[in-house]
Amino acid sequence: MFLQMAGFALFRKYKTRYIKVLSYIWNNFLQELKACEDPVREDLKLSATIRDIQNYMEDKLFLKEPGERALTGGALLSDVFLAVPSNVVEGYWFHI
């Protein structure tokens, strides 16, 4: 839930710059994280973390305001319309 709330707030504030950061994370950091995975030591739970981050990015959850515990106040009011052209998101996104 934290990733969704923080990601939504960061996207609202930084737009394409946040997408560029996500793209870097997808193309570099996740690959390094996968390389650190040790199938013998399942206690590290890296695979679950990697899967959560990948799902967050693939489903573009940063575009959706978290529903259960939506942030209120400031620029995160649920009645504020979030208009982002699809080419902005796709232009900087990763390739699955």
Side-chain angles (χ1 to χ4, degrees):
M1 182 54 111
F2 172 77
L3 183 58
Q4 292 175 354
M5 294 179 83
F8 179 76
L10 288 168
F11 178 72
R12 288 289 305 247
K13 181 158 180 79
Y14 298 108
K15 306 246 187 278
T16 57
R17 290 178 285 175
Y18 180 64
I19 294 171
K20 288 179 184 179
V21 169
L22 290 179
S23 179
Y24 179 83
I25 290 169
W26 179 269
N27 293 316
N28 298 289
F29 177 71
L30 281 179
Q31 306 312 316
E32 293 292 325
L33 202 55
K34 287 177 185 178
C36 293
E37 249 185 320
D38 185 0
V40 176
R41 294 201 52 200
E42 290 184 23
D43 60 318
L44 294 178
K45 306 266 188 230
L46 274 181
S47 59
T49 302
I50 293 168
R51 186 176 52 253
D52 289 345
I53 295 171
Q54 283 179 322
N55 290 340
Y56 170 79
M57 293 178 167
E58 289 170 350
D59 297 340
K60 297 179 182 153
L61 295 177
F62 57 89
L63 293 175
K64 302 171 189 158
E65 183 174 11
E68 295 176 5
R69 302 177 64 176
L71 300 174
T72 57
L76 297 177
L77 295 173
S78 59
D79 58 323
V80 175
F81 182 70
L82 176 62
V84 178
S86 61
N87 63 338
V88 170
V89 174
E90 298 301 327
Y92 294 102
W93 204 236
F94 50 85
H95 299 285
I96 299 171

